[in-house]
Amino acid sequence: MTQLELNGSVPVKPPRTSFYLFLVGLFVIVFISAVYIEADPLQFALNSSNMLDLLVRMVPPDWSYFVTTTPAMLDTIRMALIGTTIGTIFSIPIMFLCARNMFSAQWLVQGCRLALNILRTIPDLLLAAIFAAILGFSPLAGIAALGVFSIGIIAKLSYEAIENIDDGPLESMTAVGATKLQWIAFGVIPQVLPHIVSYILYTFEINIRAAAILGLVGAGGIGLFYNRALGYFAYDQVMALILYTLVVVVIIDFISLKIREHLL
């Protein structure tokens, strides 16, 4: 017998009634939502022949399309890189303005957070369509869309990291009369810089995927070839583009992982 049993104080497993009720409630909500929007899972079985036909038409991929689309893939990578850089630059002041422990004026903090939330609600494809209408059907529209999209991700994640820093160094600097800029430069940035760099790399990975489909709305890059291949029902070329994009994403993800491991 254990020591607890000898003392007569056997631990009692807490009831999990609330957990089970949560699962039941979640299942009911999902089921009602599926019924309301007429999302019938049987449609997958009824259309299985169409799915199989599509997969057959995608294999084997048109490997020659790799060479044809390489310039566009490089343009996609450049678009993601420039868009992420622009988003990072504009995110730097926004992330500090949104952090509650940086500024005491709550109207300023809440106003910046509201603007950031509005920015994050706009889908990247809609942003690309808007900028394509303004700037024309060119990679510049895609870069602008990715830049705005990047601000929403980087600023959001970064200001949350800023709010979780150790306040000790900040209090010490305040006691010796440090200015706000010194406060941020020497007390905040050293604590959050590895996290911010990690968020930037994560956003760059997302932008590679996003830039690959921006061409569907005329914003340049590899998406133009996706749109063309789908328009001509050339599914072997679509499969080649999917595999090409996968290779690029895996390589960039590996490089980003190594950089994050070195920083963190």
Side-chain angles (χ1 to χ4, degrees), residues 160-235:
E160 291 179 349
I162 293 173
E163 290 184 338
N164 291 308
I165 64 174
D166 182 12
D167 292 332
L170 306 183
E171 295 173 356
S172 300
M173 294 181 66
T174 302
V176 298
T179 64
K180 177 67 73 172
L181 290 178
Q182 292 173 330
W183 203 57
I184 293 175
F186 300 104
V188 179
I189 292 180
Q191 295 189 61
V192 299
L193 184 59
H195 298 286
I196 293 176
V197 173
S198 178
Y199 299 147
I200 293 171
L201 293 173
Y202 172 67
T203 304
F204 177 60
E205 296 173 20
I206 294 177
N207 283 342
I208 289 291
R209 298 173 177 88
I213 62 173
L214 291 185
L216 295 176
V217 292
I222 199 70
L224 293 174
F225 288 88
Y226 272 109
N227 194 21
R228 183 182 305 169
L230 288 171
Y232 287 106
F233 303 103
Y235 294 111

Side-chain angles (χ1 to χ4, degrees), residues 41 65 75 93 97 99 138 140 166 189 209 223 241:
Y65 219 46
D75 286 344
L97 292 173
S138 65
L140 182 60
D166 182 12
I189 292 180
R209 298 173 177 88
L241 290 172

Side-chain angles (χ1 to χ4, degrees), residues 47-202:
N47 293 281
S48 58
S49 59
N50 294 336
M51 296 173 59
L52 181 61
D53 178 65
L54 179 62
L55 292 175
V56 169
R57 295 171 63 183
M58 296 178 75
V59 179
D62 183 1
W63 299 112
S64 64
Y65 219 46
F66 273 54
V67 178
T68 304
T69 58
T70 293
M73 180 60 75
L74 294 176
D75 286 344
T76 298
I77 297 173
R78 296 185 189 104
M79 287 167 56
L81 179 61
I82 298 173
T84 305
T85 302
I86 293 174
T88 301
I89 294 173
F90 283 97
S91 295
I92 293 174
I94 296 175
M95 68 178 69
F96 290 106
L97 292 173
C98 290
R100 288 176 294 187
N101 57 342
M102 293 291 101
F103 294 92
S104 58
Q106 289 304 304
W107 64 268
L108 177 62
V109 174
Q110 296 302 327
C112 291
R113 287 192 176 191
L114 178 61
L116 188 60
N117 287 333
I118 294 174
L119 194 65
R120 291 171 55 240
T121 59
I122 306 175
D124 51 351
L125 276 177
L126 179 57
L127 285 171
I130 293 174
F131 282 111
I134 297 174
L135 302 172
F137 297 100
S138 65
L140 182 60
I143 291 172
L146 292 176
V148 175
F149 178 70
S150 299
I151 294 173
I153 300 178
I154 298 173
K156 166 68 175 178
L157 296 175
S158 298
Y159 86 69
E160 291 179 349
I162 293 173
E163 290 184 338
N164 291 308
I165 64 174
D166 182 12
D167 292 332
L170 306 183
E171 295 173 356
S172 300
M173 294 181 66
T174 302
V176 298
T179 64
K180 177 67 73 172
L181 290 178
Q182 292 173 330
W183 203 57
I184 293 175
F186 300 104
V188 179
I189 292 180
Q191 295 189 61
V192 299
L193 184 59
H195 298 286
I196 293 176
V197 173
S198 178
Y199 299 147
I200 293 171
L201 293 173
Y202 172 67

